Amino acid sequence: MGGPKTTSGGMKVAGSSSYLPLYHTNVDAVITGPLVEVAVVQVFKNTTPETIEAVYSFPISQNGAVFSFEFRIDKRIVKGVIKEKEEAKADYAKAKAQGKTASLLEQDKENLFTMSVANIKPGEMIEVHMRYQEKLPYDD
C-alpha cells in the first residue's frame, strides 16, 4: 500500500529520521478563472551542531505544476533552473562535493516534490519559496 502519505511541507535531515524545526509558513493564493496560483514560503533552521544535507518535501495535487522554486540561506539565493534530470543530478553532486550550497528539485511521485539542499551550516535559516499552479474543479 506504499508508505505514509506526506500531507504538509517538511525538511528532513538527509539519512536521518530527524526533521528541522519549521519556524514560519506563508501561503498566498490567487484564483484566475479555472486556475489557482499558489505561493508557499516556509522557513526552517538547522539546529544541529554540524553542516548537513536536508530534504524538503511538499505535496501538491496531481493537477498541480510547480513553475518556480528557490531557497535562501542567509544572503544567498539559489533559484531553480529546469534541466534534464541526469544533468541536474550531476550538477548537484558536483556542487555538494565542492562544499557549495546547492539544491535539486525532483518530482518523486505524481503529487510529491522533494528538494535536496546541501551544505547547510549549523544555525542557518533556510527559506523555501515555491510557486505552483493548479486547475480547479469546474461544475456547470
Side-chain angles (χ1 to χ4, degrees), residues 4-97:
K5 186 175 180 179
T6 301
T7 58
S8 64
M11 188 167 273
K12 187 175 181 180
V13 178
S16 164
S17 60
S18 299
Y19 282 82
L20 298 182
L22 173 64
Y23 279 70
H24 176 77
T25 297
N26 187 65
V27 179
D28 289 314
V30 176
I31 298 173
T32 306
L35 295 177
V36 62
E37 184 175 306
V38 181
V40 178
V41 177
Q42 291 191 298
V43 181
F44 302 88
K45 183 176 183 178
N46 179 6
T47 54
T48 73
E50 49 195 45
T51 299
I52 62 165
E53 176 181 19
V55 179
Y56 174 74
S57 298
F58 190 84
I60 65 171
S61 155
Q62 56 188 333
N63 296 326
V66 173
F67 67 89
S68 172
F69 79 95
E70 69 180 37
F71 74 91
R72 299 174 187 178
I73 299 179
D74 290 333
K75 294 178 178 137
R76 296 168 290 180
I77 298 174
V78 177
K79 294 186 180 213
V81 176
I82 297 173
K83 295 182 178 180
E84 291 293 327
K85 192 173 194 170
E86 294 309 314
E87 179 186 2
K89 285 183 175 184
D91 288 351
Y92 177 76
K94 181 179 177 183
K96 179 180 170 185

Side-chain angles (χ1 to χ4, degrees), residues 56 66-69 80 85 88 92 103-108 113-116 130:
Y56 174 74
V66 173
F67 67 89
S68 172
F69 79 95
K85 192 173 194 170
Y92 177 76
S103 72
L104 175 66
L105 179 73
E106 298 181 276
Q107 185 174 359
D108 278 356
F113 285 83
T114 61
M115 180 174 69
S116 299
M130 183 170 63

